[in-house]
Short mmCIF file of all heavy atoms in Angstrom, two decimals:
data_model
loop_
_atom_site.label_atom_id
_atom_site.label_comp_id
_atom_site.label_asym_id
_atom_site.label_seq_id
_atom_site.Cartn_x
_atom_site.Cartn_y
_atom_site.Cartn_z
N GLY B 57 -51.85 53.52 91.94
CA GLY B 57 -50.55 52.96 92.33
C GLY B 57 -49.53 52.94 91.26
O GLY B 57 -48.39 52.50 91.47
N SER B 58 -49.83 53.43 90.09
CA SER B 58 -48.91 53.38 88.94
C SER B 58 -48.00 54.61 88.98
O SER B 58 -48.34 55.67 89.46
CB SER B 58 -49.69 53.36 87.62
OG SER B 58 -48.83 53.50 86.54
N ASP B 59 -46.77 54.40 88.47
CA ASP B 59 -45.79 55.51 88.42
C ASP B 59 -46.02 56.37 87.19
O ASP B 59 -45.43 57.44 87.05
CB ASP B 59 -44.37 54.92 88.34
CG ASP B 59 -44.00 54.19 89.64
OD1 ASP B 59 -44.57 54.55 90.69
OD2 ASP B 59 -43.18 53.24 89.56
N HIS B 60 -46.87 55.95 86.25
CA HIS B 60 -47.13 56.65 85.02
C HIS B 60 -48.21 57.71 85.18
O HIS B 60 -49.18 57.50 85.92
CB HIS B 60 -47.53 55.70 83.87
CG HIS B 60 -46.45 54.68 83.56
ND1 HIS B 60 -45.37 54.98 82.77
CD2 HIS B 60 -46.34 53.42 83.92
CE1 HIS B 60 -44.62 53.92 82.66
NE2 HIS B 60 -45.16 52.95 83.36
N GLU B 61 -48.03 58.81 84.51
CA GLU B 61 -49.06 59.84 84.52
C GLU B 61 -50.13 59.45 83.47
O GLU B 61 -49.77 58.96 82.41
CB GLU B 61 -48.45 61.18 84.16
CG GLU B 61 -47.56 61.78 85.22
CD GLU B 61 -48.34 62.14 86.47
OE1 GLU B 61 -49.53 62.50 86.35
OE2 GLU B 61 -47.77 62.05 87.58
N PRO B 62 -51.38 59.69 83.77
CA PRO B 62 -52.42 59.38 82.78
C PRO B 62 -52.27 60.25 81.53
O PRO B 62 -51.98 61.40 81.63
CB PRO B 62 -53.72 59.69 83.52
CG PRO B 62 -53.31 60.68 84.57
CD PRO B 62 -51.93 60.26 84.98
N GLU B 63 -52.49 59.60 80.37
CA GLU B 63 -52.35 60.34 79.10
C GLU B 63 -53.78 60.49 78.52
O GLU B 63 -54.58 59.58 78.55
CB GLU B 63 -51.50 59.56 78.13
CG GLU B 63 -50.01 59.47 78.52
CD GLU B 63 -49.21 58.79 77.51
OE1 GLU B 63 -49.23 57.56 77.48
OE2 GLU B 63 -48.52 59.47 76.73
N SER B 64 -54.02 61.64 77.96
CA SER B 64 -55.31 61.93 77.36
C SER B 64 -55.18 62.18 75.90
O SER B 64 -54.11 62.47 75.37
CB SER B 64 -55.97 63.16 78.05
OG SER B 64 -56.14 62.95 79.43
N ASP B 65 -56.33 62.08 75.22
CA ASP B 65 -56.31 62.39 73.77
C ASP B 65 -56.05 63.87 73.54
O ASP B 65 -56.24 64.71 74.43
CB ASP B 65 -57.69 62.04 73.19
CG ASP B 65 -57.92 60.54 73.12
OD1 ASP B 65 -56.98 59.78 73.39
OD2 ASP B 65 -59.07 60.15 72.81
N SER B 66 -55.57 64.16 72.37
CA SER B 66 -55.34 65.56 71.98
C SER B 66 -56.38 65.93 70.90
O SER B 66 -56.83 65.13 70.11
CB SER B 66 -53.95 65.76 71.40
OG SER B 66 -53.72 64.95 70.29
N VAL B 67 -56.83 67.20 70.98
CA VAL B 67 -57.82 67.71 70.02
C VAL B 67 -57.16 68.83 69.23
O VAL B 67 -56.47 69.71 69.80
CB VAL B 67 -59.03 68.27 70.76
CG1 VAL B 67 -59.99 69.00 69.80
CG2 VAL B 67 -59.81 67.14 71.46
N VAL B 68 -57.32 68.80 67.91
CA VAL B 68 -56.73 69.80 67.02
C VAL B 68 -57.84 70.51 66.26
O VAL B 68 -58.72 69.86 65.66
CB VAL B 68 -55.74 69.13 66.07
CG1 VAL B 68 -55.24 70.18 65.04
CG2 VAL B 68 -54.59 68.51 66.81
N VAL B 69 -57.74 71.82 66.22
CA VAL B 69 -58.65 72.64 65.41
C VAL B 69 -57.82 73.67 64.71
O VAL B 69 -57.11 74.47 65.34
CB VAL B 69 -59.71 73.37 66.28
CG1 VAL B 69 -60.60 74.27 65.35
CG2 VAL B 69 -60.57 72.36 67.02
N GLN B 70 -57.78 73.62 63.37
CA GLN B 70 -56.96 74.53 62.58
C GLN B 70 -57.76 75.06 61.40
O GLN B 70 -58.44 74.30 60.70
CB GLN B 70 -55.71 73.77 62.09
CG GLN B 70 -54.73 74.63 61.33
CD GLN B 70 -53.47 73.87 60.94
OE1 GLN B 70 -53.18 72.83 61.49
NE2 GLN B 70 -52.74 74.45 59.98
N ARG B 71 -57.63 76.35 61.18
CA ARG B 71 -58.32 77.01 60.05
C ARG B 71 -57.28 77.55 59.10
O ARG B 71 -56.28 78.16 59.49
CB ARG B 71 -59.23 78.13 60.53
CG ARG B 71 -59.95 78.85 59.39
CD ARG B 71 -60.78 80.01 59.97
NE ARG B 71 -61.46 80.77 58.91
CZ ARG B 71 -60.90 81.73 58.22
NH1 ARG B 71 -59.62 82.14 58.45
NH2 ARG B 71 -61.57 82.38 57.27
N GLU B 72 -57.47 77.28 57.78
CA GLU B 72 -56.61 77.77 56.76
C GLU B 72 -57.39 78.57 55.72
O GLU B 72 -58.50 78.16 55.33
CB GLU B 72 -55.87 76.60 56.03
CG GLU B 72 -54.94 75.81 56.92
CD GLU B 72 -53.65 76.54 57.19
OE1 GLU B 72 -53.38 77.50 56.49
OE2 GLU B 72 -52.93 76.12 58.11
N GLN B 73 -56.88 79.73 55.35
CA GLN B 73 -57.50 80.54 54.31
C GLN B 73 -56.54 80.75 53.17
O GLN B 73 -55.48 81.34 53.36
CB GLN B 73 -57.94 81.89 54.89
CG GLN B 73 -58.67 82.80 53.91
CD GLN B 73 -60.16 82.37 53.74
OE1 GLN B 73 -60.81 82.01 54.72
NE2 GLN B 73 -60.65 82.42 52.54
#
Side-chain angles (χ1 to χ4, degrees):
S58 173
D59 295 331
H60 298 280
E61 291 293 330
E63 293 182 282
S64 300
D65 290 352
S66 59
V67 172
V68 174
V69 177
Q70 182 175 345
R71 179 183 178 276
E72 295 285 345
Q73 183 78 40

